Amino acid sequence: MDSVVRVNGGKALSGRIHVRGAKNFVPKAMVAALLSDKPSELRNVPQISDVDIVSGLLRLHGVEVAYDVDRGILTIDPTLVTSAQVEAVGEHAGSSRIPILFCGPLLHRLGQAHIPDLGGCEIGGRPIDFHLRILEEFGACIEKQEGGGIHISAPKGLEGTTIRLPYPSVGATEQTLLAAVQARGKTELRGAAIEPEILDLINVLQKMGAIISVDIDRTIRIEGVDHLDGYVHRALPDRIEAASWASAALATRGDIFVEGAVQPDMTTFLNVFRKVGGAFEVHHDGIRFYHPGGQLHSIALETNVHPGFMTDWQQPLVVALTQAQGISIVHETVYENRFGFTKALNQMGAQIQLYRECLGGLECRFGQRNFFHSAVILGPTPLRGADIAIPDLRGGFSHLIAALAASGTSHVSGIGMISRGYENFIGKLRALGADIDLIDRSE
């Protein structure tokens, strides 16, 4: 979807929308199905482009994939898995980084894997070298190809090992889990990420027959097994999308019921939402988020790994903070370049100043480096319509929120990026009363 969206802003969003499985979990569970030679069934799957990309990558490797969109059920049969041409993988994956996670399962099934150069959202460094070092720790051999791409082999299989992460990286934790479950012996991962999406991936692997324990000190221990079966699993709901709609309700002075949202995985967000002045009601089938009237309150906020305030929650909430009374301070400690989206907000009338210094108390990897990773937001400032180009997935949805909250008309380009993680977002916005249209670039 490369069309431009025209948004006539200034209307409060109100109504009910539904959120399905987490974008940060579903593609990883699809990859995990490769570990078995038996079919798997994944439920509560959203219709997003990341699912399409992984489905295509699986098919390139000989896997049968069927998707019942209406029921949200994905069936994956990896019985006849085979190698794929690296050029075809690279062409299909585009900017997605998901092929790096195919390596562990393919090494177990085929003894080798081929991956292309990888992209991703421009929000900070996420080099694949770290993933490759982890695979080398398991005994894999890494060869960079002259024509591009990387060949990884493990003719003797993978061996359990001890891995210490300098930072609780989600991607590195996923890589370790997918490689360790069938490696010979035991693997100990220290400093692991423990996000809900990681724990749900562990649930999937345990259903398949893996032996995995998680300690309270961020240590994950895996005992390798010889064989894994398929799984039947319902994906946990997308807490990022739910929080994005909550921020949209706050910024537009609206009232949105997010069906499918659950409280436990959103506890930290809900606390901050309430401090800013938002209101919510937890129901058995979802959460109602609404602006109760009056002024919003400025806050000091720092992002962190789970159970801290999630970095993906930050960008949509910053839009709402432009409408809060006073000075808000946001310190980003997870991705060093996550504030690039604020340039468009300033163009629309916001007053946001970026700083290289750590404006917070958390220990931060970026404090002595030349990154604008702290933001000071002065509010409330009226937003006005503008022409905006989307920089990344979460920043893109944040731009849509700003356009919806602004007076006048905005034109938002590059919206295809948003479809990576937000199912039917145009339809949902219209259901909430947004005045929004897709237009041709020639208009």
Side-chain angles (χ1 to χ4, degrees), residues 135-150:
L135 292 170
E136 285 180 320
E137 289 288 328
F138 283 99
C141 300
I142 313 294
E143 298 177 75
K144 294 193 176 183
Q145 305 295 293
E146 289 186 8
I150 300 168

Side-chain angles (χ1 to χ4, degrees), residues 2 16 31 37 50-51 65 85 117 120 124 129 154 157 162 209 234 247 250 252 268 299 341 381 411 437:
D2 293 325
R16 185 185 185 103
V31 173
D37 58 2
D50 270 21
V51 170
V65 182
Q85 292 185 346
D117 296 329
D129 288 351
T162 297
R234 180 178 177 83
S247 295
L250 205 57
T252 65
T268 303
I299 59 169
F341 78 104
T381 52
H411 295 88
D437 292 296

Side-chain angles (χ1 to χ4, degrees), residues 411-426:
H411 295 88
V412 186
S413 60
I415 61 167
M417 181 75 72
I418 299 176
S419 66
R420 283 189 54 205
Y422 293 87
E423 180 182 40
N424 187 27
F425 63 94
I426 297 293

Side-chain angles (χ1 to χ4, degrees), residues 80-291:
L80 302 178
V81 64
T82 186
S83 295
Q85 292 185 346
V86 67
E87 296 83 2
V89 172
E91 181 178 349
H92 184 81
S95 63
S96 172
R97 304 175 67 86
I98 195 71
I100 189 65
L101 293 181
F102 274 65
C103 295
L106 289 175
L107 289 173
H108 288 305
R109 292 293 304 278
L110 303 174
Q112 62 178 353
H114 305 267
I115 61 170
D117 296 329
L118 300 172
C121 289
E122 296 298 327
I123 56 176
R126 295 188 284 180
I128 68 167
D129 288 351
F130 196 56
H131 288 262
L132 298 179
R133 286 199 296 271
I134 288 173
L135 292 170
E136 285 180 320
E137 289 288 328
F138 283 99
C141 300
I142 313 294
E143 298 177 75
K144 294 193 176 183
Q145 305 295 293
E146 289 186 8
I150 300 168
H151 179 253
I152 306 166
S153 60
K156 296 182 180 180
L158 300 181
E159 294 278 354
T161 186
T162 297
I163 296 174
R164 300 172 180 82
L165 298 182
Y167 182 80
S169 161
V170 168
T173 300
E174 293 165 341
Q175 185 70 258
T176 303
L177 287 169
L178 293 170
V181 286
Q182 287 187 292
R184 288 186 296 274
K186 298 181 180 180
T187 296
E188 182 176 276
L189 175 62
R190 300 177 184 174
I194 54 171
E195 271 70 6
E197 295 81 8
I198 291 287
L199 298 182
D200 211 24
L201 179 60
I202 290 174
N203 291 338
V204 165
L205 294 170
Q206 188 180 58
K207 285 182 177 181
M208 297 177 75
I211 301 173
I212 306 172
S213 63
V214 183
D215 292 345
I216 59 174
D217 64 350
R218 292 185 177 273
T219 298
I220 298 177
R221 293 181 172 86
I222 307 104
E223 297 182 32
V225 297
D226 294 330
H227 178 77
L228 293 172
D229 291 316
Y231 64 80
V232 176
H233 187 77
R234 180 178 177 83
L236 82 169
D238 197 314
R239 61 194 176 119
I240 304 173
E241 184 181 355
S244 298
W245 292 113
S247 295
L250 205 57
T252 65
R253 304 183 72 86
D255 187 334
I256 302 176
F257 188 95
V258 182
E259 183 182 345
V262 294
Q263 181 183 13
D265 296 341
M266 297 187 69
T267 300
T268 303
F269 176 84
L270 294 174
N271 287 334
V272 172
F273 190 79
R274 180 168 282 162
K275 288 179 182 179
V276 174
F280 62 88
E281 297 172 357
V282 178
H283 297 260
H284 74 280
D285 58 344
I287 303 176
R288 175 195 174 199
F289 298 97
Y290 62 99
H291 191 303

